[in-house]
Amino acid sequence: MGKNVAITAIGVGKTFPMGKQRVSALREVSLTLPAGTLTALTGPSGSGKSTLLHLIAGLERVDAGTLEVLGHPVHTSTPTELAALRLREIGFVHQDFSLLADLTLLENVRLPLEATGSSRGPASTAAREAMARVGLDGLEDRFPAEVSGGQQQRAAIARAIIGERTLVLADEPTGSLDSKTGAEIMDVLARLRDDGVTVVLSTHNPANLSHADQIAVLHDGTLLSFDTTEGGTP
């Protein structure tokens, strides 16, 4: 994989068991995502958007084809290798924020660094820097229940980028938010892209596509189209 390419999928397929049969979630998906770009995966429910994100993150295993992420062949990597890749290089943002309620925002954000053995002081410093990048200055000591949904999602994004992570995967990151707050979260993700972070997100919302450099349209597990938007990276 070239140094300016973040993700390369060639003929990727994934099936899941359903009773005595197996159902195809993805079939023959091929695409290349340049580093430092924002890609939107769109399509109806059940089209394979979340499955593709989970494959890129190594949360599910590829059944067919090859998939390289940040130079790592995730289609042949061991579970231990995939866990290390997620912990050190990939951040995942969920629709429901997935913050721990009994930890402050700062404590939530610094968790990945503490999991890699970083001491609390350096982890807290890095967490404050990540929170500042997403506009959470001054909210470090608040608990998730004490802030808005948009602020909780910003904290989830800060947790996803802390340390040296350069790839953020976001599964419907604005799906639980009102349109104004959702637009603010998309602005945050776009600024991360402008800073060199590779962002891949799934979305049902057409308004979110305006920030994308590439748009991948999925339907019934197949890639209908993959287009570079005006001004995007070829």
Side-chain angles (χ1 to χ4, degrees):
M1 181 185 296
K3 65 180 180 179
N4 294 320
V5 174
I7 299 165
T8 300
I10 302 176
V12 165
K14 178 64 181 177
T15 62
F16 292 101
M18 182 175 288
K20 296 182 179 180
Q21 300 180 330
R22 295 192 69 85
V23 176
S24 293
L26 288 175
R27 295 187 296 273
E28 292 290 324
V29 171
S30 298
L31 47 76
T32 299
L33 306 185
T37 60
L38 191 156
T39 301
L41 310 178
T42 190
S45 296
S47 61
K49 303 186 301 297
S50 293
T51 298
L52 182 54
L53 283 179
H54 288 178
L55 292 177
I56 294 171
L59 295 170
E60 301 282 354
R61 299 306 299 258
V62 172
D63 290 329
T66 62
L67 178 60
E68 291 194 17
V69 179
L70 303 178
H72 300 272
V74 301
H75 57 289
T76 59
S77 297
T78 67
T80 299
E81 291 169 336
L82 292 173
L85 178 64
R86 286 192 298 273
L87 192 58
R88 298 181 183 279
E89 301 188 53
I90 300 174
F92 205 102
V93 180
H94 301 269
Q95 178 178 342
D96 62 358
F97 321 136
S98 295
L99 300 174
L100 299 180
D102 57 345
L103 297 182
T104 66
L105 297 186
L106 180 72
E107 290 168 339
N108 269 283
V109 172
R110 76 185 183 205
L111 277 176
L113 286 190
E114 292 184 320
T116 61
S118 177
S119 60
R120 181 165 297 182
S124 293
T125 297
R128 291 179 187 278
E129 293 173 353
M131 293 178 71
R133 289 179 69 184
V134 301
L136 288 179
D137 307 72
L139 298 180
E140 293 86 356
D141 295 329
R142 299 283 186 90
F143 288 90
E146 297 175 332
V147 300
S148 69
Q151 289 167 331
Q152 289 184 60
Q153 192 63 296
R154 286 172 187 256
I157 294 170
R159 183 183 56 192
I161 62 171
I162 192 171
E164 300 300 321
R165 288 163 161 186
T166 57
L167 174 60
V168 170
L169 307 175
D171 196 3
E172 295 285 353
T174 67
S176 299
L177 306 172
D178 62 71
S179 59
K180 179 178 182 296
T181 306
E184 292 172 354
I185 292 301
M186 286 304 302
D187 286 339
V188 170
L189 294 172
R191 288 197 299 272
L192 292 176
R193 178 269 318 275
D194 295 342
D195 289 340
V197 176
T198 303
V199 179
V200 185
L201 64 92
S202 65
T203 183
H204 284 101
N205 189 346
N208 292 343
L209 304 182
S210 63
H211 290 287
D213 299 300
Q214 297 90 220
I215 299 173
V217 180
L218 294 159
H219 185 76
D220 288 340
T222 62
L223 184 64
L224 289 185
S225 63
F226 180 60
D227 298 312
T228 300
T229 61
E230 183 176 351
T233 304

